[in-house]
Amino acid sequence: MASNHDPLLTILAEQMGQHKKILLGFSGGLDSTVLLHLLVRLRTQSQQPNGEHMALRAIHIHHGLNPEADLWVEHCRQVCAGWQVDFRTEKVELNTRQNGIEAAARNARYRVFQRELQLGEVLITAQHLDDQAETFLLALKRGSGPAGLSSMPARMPFAGTTLIRPLLNVSRAELEAYAQAQKLQWVEDDSNQDDRYDRNFLRLHIMPLLNQRWPHFPQAVSRSASLCGEQEQLLDELLKESLASLVTSEGAISIPPLENSSEAKRNALLRRWLNQRGVKMPAREQLQRIWSEVALARRDAEPRFRLGHDEIRRYRQQLWLLPQYRDLAGLILEWDLRQALMLPDGLGTLLCTKEDGMTVRKPTGNEQVTIRFGVQGNINIVGRQHARHSKKLWQELGVAPWLRERTPLLYYNEKLIAALGVFITKEGQNLPDNAGISVLWKKNMQ
């Protein structure tokens, strides 16, 4: 290996700082091969008498998309063996239904990285200056705001540790020059020549023209992305206290204070609330619809807005972010009280116990016990003199609409006996001369 005073090695050492446990995402392509080579050199430096030993691992993700993929795995294994780097590979299945192959592959990679990271280990990936410019232009194509245009940060929190991209200010041309000087071998993915993919289209057709006209275009784009990132960071700091005052202990966000905010401030707060909840940044039109169709819906409505795999709902002048639950209406589960009953959609288990549960009357010999969901009509419950319609009753008892649809209802034949954990009907009341039963709903941890 060459001199330890190479500019790329200096850049890497500065970016890595004091981190000594490293997991590299290693595709075997030019970028990650150069980065692995640099890391191996840095490890050699750390093995000097005054240095702390670096623990370096590489992981290769087998996407199963290319007929050459098995050969790439073997190439990566041999490179790591030659450089004495701990290597492992993981094959993934891609879900392309929602956002296409590129996004599916990226999501699959980062799920593996998250699972694979060890305690105290940082994740290193090989994106470079040209990647950053392409990411910026793709965000511009989508109509993204400052958060999207800030593109890829050089470092960011990830899976309880840190993700570092040490080559973000290094061009692809510099990486190629280094690889040739060091006589490195890498794999070429022929799909990179397929301009049906947006990133490849930019790389093959647009970036060369931009670079020909403006040779420092990627550096300028990187500065713009960095400035957008700074603006977002400043907004985060300025809105931190306001957001904290709006979000409840259950994670909902209060609507009335947002009504008194400007549209710009309201949108910024809603974006940050959703980001806290791990939701992909919504488009401006989606935010406008969340506000007009959910927050400002008429008082007696139960509005909802689908957002990816989640939905936004309103309850008690608050917006709630919830998963899209399975519709359980019409489902009837027969229950042998001598055995536990597993409820659907992760709702947990029902047990007939001697204590700790809700005590109701014991069913007679000719009464079939079932569990159902979604009651409608008038209900007469213990502790109330008059019957109330189910919707009014749920409201009075403070049960959110989505929980009403997911609360197990205990029936004997066609008689509603109890909404477990909420109320007991007059038909289910345990009388002194009846040997009652105790029904316990053991909910799964959310």
Side-chain angles (χ1 to χ4, degrees):
M1 294 186 180
S3 164
N4 286 340
H5 301 292
D6 287 354
L8 292 189
L9 194 62
T10 302
I11 290 171
L12 179 63
E14 291 173 353
Q15 291 286 336
M16 295 306 303
Q18 300 302 309
H19 295 295
K20 298 298 180 184
K21 291 185 67 176
I22 295 164
L23 176 67
L24 170 69
F26 184 42
S27 70
L30 168 71
D31 315 334
S32 61
T33 299
V34 168
L35 184 51
L36 180 57
H37 188 264
L38 289 165
L39 286 166
V40 170
R41 293 176 63 189
L42 200 61
R43 182 183 63 183
T44 301
Q45 284 187 0
S46 76
Q47 291 171 340
Q48 301 300 320
N50 297 330
E52 183 184 347
H53 180 68
M54 176 191 290
L56 176 59
R57 299 193 303 136
I59 182 167
H60 176 85
I61 310 302
H62 186 320
H63 297 99
L65 295 173
N66 193 295
E68 303 290 314
D70 290 337
L71 296 177
W72 298 345
V73 171
E74 190 54 36
H75 167 84
C76 291
R77 180 178 286 110
Q78 290 178 11
V79 168
C80 288
W83 292 345
Q84 297 180 320
V85 174
D86 183 32
F87 173 77
R88 66 158 299 158
T89 183
E90 182 105 9
K91 192 165 186 176
V92 295
E93 292 185 9
L94 303 185
N95 179 3
T96 60
R97 287 174 297 177
Q98 199 150 24
N99 296 311
I101 290 177
E102 290 175 286
R106 183 187 184 280
N107 292 339
R109 281 196 302 276
Y110 281 87
R111 279 196 300 271
V112 173
F113 294 155
Q114 183 172 2
R115 188 170 66 243
E116 179 66 21
L117 278 162
Q118 297 176 358
L119 184 64
E121 197 170 48
V122 294
L123 175 64
I124 310 295
T125 57
Q127 291 94 349
H128 50 71
L129 185 65
D130 300 73
D131 291 327
Q132 182 77 308
E134 292 159 10
T135 300
F136 184 94
L137 292 176
L138 289 171
L140 199 62
K141 184 264 296 185
R142 291 192 298 269
S144 299
L149 294 173
S150 62
S151 304
M152 297 179 288
R155 60 179 57 228
M156 60 179 286
F158 178 78
T161 179
T162 305
L163 165 59
I164 302 176
R165 300 179 175 100
L167 302 180
L168 271 188
N169 290 319
V170 180
S171 70
R172 181 181 288 110
E174 290 175 279
L175 296 180
E176 288 178 353
Y178 178 93
Q180 289 167 1
Q182 298 288 342
K183 297 181 171 54
L184 302 182
Q185 301 292 319
W186 63 90
V187 299
E188 293 284 1
D189 184 348
D190 56 7
S191 70
N192 288 335
Q193 303 304 311
D194 186 349
D195 61 10
R196 291 176 299 175
Y197 299 120
D198 290 343
R199 186 175 290 274
N200 289 347
F201 177 79
L202 287 174
R203 182 178 300 153
L204 297 170
H205 304 299
I206 305 302
M207 291 300 295
L209 289 174
L210 294 173
N211 288 327
Q212 183 180 349
R213 178 67 184 244
W214 301 294
H216 298 292
F217 182 79
Q219 288 87 343
V221 169
S222 182
R223 284 196 299 274
S224 292
S226 180
L227 289 170
C228 288
E230 285 184 16
Q231 293 297 309
E232 280 299 291
Q233 186 178 351
L234 177 60
L235 271 178
D236 286 343
E237 293 175 10
L238 293 175
L239 294 175
K240 184 177 180 180
E241 290 186 11
S242 296
L243 184 62
S245 69
L246 295 177
V247 177
T248 70
S249 60
E250 295 175 296
I253 188 168
S254 181
I255 294 173
L258 292 172
E259 293 182 283
N260 299 322
S261 300
S262 67
E263 182 180 2
K265 184 177 181 180
R266 182 175 70 236
N267 287 345
L269 286 164
L270 287 173
R271 283 193 184 98
R272 280 156 181 78
W273 169 62
L274 291 169
N275 186 56
Q276 280 185 352
R277 311 290 290 170
V279 174
K280 184 179 177 182
M281 196 65 67
R284 186 177 184 182
E285 181 200 5
Q286 289 177 307
L287 281 180
Q288 291 171 339
R289 291 185 61 192
I290 288 168
W291 185 250
S292 62
E293 297 175 17
V294 182
L296 300 184
R298 68 180 193 275
R299 291 184 62 86
D300 62 342
E302 293 182 3
R304 59 178 72 185
F305 181 85
R306 182 172 177 175
L307 195 61
H309 295 294
D310 303 297
E311 62 181 11
I312 308 288
R313 299 183 70 162
R314 185 188 67 186
Y315 177 60
R316 290 190 167 176
Q317 285 297 86
Q318 296 168 349
L319 292 175
W320 296 70
L321 179 75
L322 302 162
Q324 290 187 52
Y325 295 123
R326 173 183 163 191
D327 184 4
L328 302 176
L331 185 64
I332 300 178
L333 305 174
E334 295 185 15
W335 185 18
D336 179 351
L337 296 177
R338 295 169 296 180
Q339 300 177 356
L341 177 67
M342 187 75 69
L343 295 172
D345 207 29
L347 281 174
T349 307
L350 296 184
L351 303 167
C352 189
T353 67
K354 294 183 179 179
E355 53 187 20
D356 297 331
M358 174 179 272
T359 302
V360 296
R361 72 173 177 85
K362 189 175 182 180
T364 62
N366 62 354
E367 286 182 319
Q368 183 187 38
V369 180
T370 58
I371 296 295
R372 309 180 189 189
F373 299 88
V375 65
Q376 295 290 334
N378 290 328
I379 304 172
N380 201 337
I381 70 171
V382 173
R384 300 287 182 94
Q385 188 172 0
H386 302 290
R388 296 285 280 162
H389 190 273
S390 55
K391 184 174 181 178
K392 293 289 186 184
L393 184 60
W394 288 121
Q395 289 173 345
E396 291 172 11
L397 295 172
V399 179
W402 55 92
L403 296 180
R404 302 169 198 173
E405 302 156 6
R406 296 174 60 78
T407 299
L409 305 173
L410 178 65
Y411 275 79
Y412 295 167
N413 289 342
E414 297 304 313
K415 294 177 184 176
L416 176 61
I417 301 301
L420 297 178
V422 185
F423 62 75
I424 300 172
T425 67
K426 293 287 180 66
E427 291 85 355
Q429 185 174 16
N430 187 43
L431 301 173
D433 59 349
N434 183 281
I437 60 170
S438 182
V439 179
L440 177 64
W441 179 13
K442 294 185 69 173
K443 301 179 185 180
N444 288 340
M445 295 295 293
Q446 297 297 314

